[in-house]
Amino acid sequence: MDTATLRRWATPLTIGAFMLMSITGILMFFHINPGISKVAHEWLSWAMVIGVGLHLVTNWKMFARYFSQKTALGVIGFFAVLTVASMLIPGEEERRGPPGAQASNVLMNAPLDKLAGITGNTLEGLQAKLQAQGLKLDATMVSLDAVAKQNQRNPVEVLNSVIAVKD
């Protein structure tokens, strides 16, 4: 394909994809997701990549000149660093974990008397169930997580056994 044909496709594709990406991105920023805007943003970003790629091919000489300008290199470098940082810094979901893990963490770190109530037990009944599973308890153990760690057991398995055991 010759340069003129590429240019006829590259620039309109880049403009159209930029329009879609910017509008859907701004909507997503404000947590407004009408219709399939999020899916369109995710999947049609490939149109932007292709359009920019074709645009680079047709304008390579002009593009290459930017690598000899300090200001352009600074801006490009800044966004390169931001791109890498955005992939390395844990996001909110990664810090919190999946919803099931969040619920498990709340239950494992709840005071034993509160956990007893949640599971339909008394504190004494919960302690007896834990001891019946071979777990050693002492007065300093204030949560199921502390019990599991003290007994070198997997906290999730201990939680599952407490939830599964019924009176």
Side-chain angles (χ1 to χ4, degrees):
M1 198 179 286
D2 65 12
T3 305
T5 304
L6 281 178
R7 187 169 281 123
R8 275 197 303 268
W9 282 96
T11 302
L13 181 60
T14 304
I15 292 168
F18 173 77
M19 181 178 63
L20 179 130
M21 296 296 295
S22 60
I23 292 170
T24 57
I26 290 168
L27 288 171
M28 287 168 43
F29 176 81
F30 289 107
H31 304 284
I32 302 168
N33 294 310
I36 61 166
S37 61
K38 185 176 185 299
V39 173
H41 183 86
E42 291 171 348
W43 283 95
L44 295 175
S45 64
W46 289 105
M48 179 77 165
V49 171
I50 292 167
V52 169
L54 292 174
H55 194 68
L56 282 174
V57 168
T58 59
N59 297 290
W60 182 253
K61 286 183 183 178
M62 280 198 214
F63 174 73
R65 275 195 253 164
Y66 285 106
F67 289 102
S68 64
Q69 299 174 7
K70 287 182 182 179
T71 303
L73 280 175
V75 171
I76 293 167
F78 174 73
F79 280 98
V81 169
L82 281 180
T83 301
V84 171
S86 73
M87 291 183 272
L88 297 177
I89 299 170
E92 186 177 326
E93 287 183 20
E94 290 169 315
R95 286 191 301 265
R96 285 189 321 207
Q102 293 172 39
S104 294
N105 283 336
V106 168
L107 292 173
M108 285 189 290
N109 292 301
L112 287 177
D113 61 329
K114 302 290 186 221
L115 181 62
I118 292 169
T119 60
N121 292 298
T122 63
L123 176 58
E124 295 76 22
L126 177 61
Q127 289 171 331
K129 287 178 183 181
L130 292 169
Q131 288 171 335
Q133 296 173 37
L135 298 168
K136 292 184 172 97
L137 303 175
D138 66 43
T140 64
M141 295 180 188
V142 294
S143 70
L144 204 56
D145 189 54
V147 172
K149 284 179 182 171
Q150 180 69 27
N151 287 275
Q152 297 178 341
R153 297 271 300 272
N154 181 328
V156 175
E157 289 175 8
V158 175
L159 175 63
N160 288 339
S161 68
V162 167
I163 293 171
V165 177
K166 299 287 181 196
D167 282 332

